[in-house]
């Protein structure tokens, strides 16, 4: 199992969510975050406004998926979230040791 953590433009969340739905992915955690990348301290556009602050609003999407669908899922997120502009976001991948469904103590991929 791999945790895919995608930091995306908030305006792209609906498209990313639809792409994940299309792949049959159900479980996810969404967080409103602030962040910066390489252009720290430089101007970036957000919803038609120019920001010169270092920390811009982003949406963090966390999903844990079986190993065999990681590549496909990452590609789908990129396709849905990309505009080609700076600030499009970033994807981090983490190995997950286990997953346990609290209700019935199912473990591993079966619990996702
Ligand atoms: N190295 C990093 N560590 C943790 N979070 C990061 C890192 N780089 C980017 N992020 C997060 O991802 C968001 C989007 O980053 P961003 O797309 O601006 O990356 P970038 O490397 O500057 O690429 P680009 O040149 O396309 O803008 C940031 O606002 C921040 O929340
Ligand atoms: Mg950037």
């Amino acid at each position: 199992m791999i945790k895919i953590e995608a930091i995306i433009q908030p305006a792209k969340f609906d498209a990313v969510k639809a792409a994940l739905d299309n792949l049959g992915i159900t479980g996810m955690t969404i967080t409103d975050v602030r962040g910066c990348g390489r252009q720290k301290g430089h101007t970036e556009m957000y919803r038609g406004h120019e920001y010169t602050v270092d920390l811009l609003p982003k949406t963090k999407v966390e999903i844990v998926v079986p190993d065999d669908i990681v590549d496909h899922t990452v590609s789908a997120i990129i396709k849905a979230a990309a505009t080609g502009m700076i600030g499009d976001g970033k994807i981090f991948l983490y190995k997950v040791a286990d997953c346990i469904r609290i209700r019935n103590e199912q473990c591993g991929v079966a619990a996702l």
Side-chain angles (χ1 to χ4, degrees):
M1 286 175 288
I2 297 287
K3 181 166 97 166
I4 300 171
E5 181 183 290
I7 317 280
I8 60 170
Q9 293 282 17
K12 288 294 182 180
F13 174 69
D14 288 347
V16 169
K17 174 77 164 55
L20 296 174
D21 287 346
N22 279 341
L23 292 177
I25 290 168
T26 52
M28 65 186 69
T29 302
I30 310 302
T31 316
D32 291 324
V33 297
R34 294 187 306 146
C36 60
R38 292 188 303 180
Q39 292 81 17
K40 184 174 180 181
H42 289 82
T43 302
E44 188 177 316
M45 295 294 288
Y46 174 69
R47 292 193 171 167
H49 298 280
E50 280 193 352
Y51 283 75
T52 49
V53 293
D54 329 1
L55 298 172
L56 292 162
K58 302 286 175 181
T59 299
K60 182 167 74 173
V61 180
E62 294 170 275
I63 51 177
V64 179
V65 299
D67 294 358
D68 59 344
I69 69 160
V70 172
D71 291 351
H72 200 49
T73 306
V74 168
S75 298
I77 293 170
I78 292 170
K79 193 174 169 199
T83 69
M85 306 281 284
I86 58 170
D88 265 359
K90 203 162 278 186
I91 296 172
F92 301 96
L93 303 178
Y94 308 83
K95 287 182 180 168
V96 174
D98 205 353
C99 166
I100 301 110
R101 176 173 285 112
I102 290 174
R103 173 170 59 84
N104 55 14
E105 296 185 45
Q106 263 183 320
C107 292
V109 170
L112 290 178

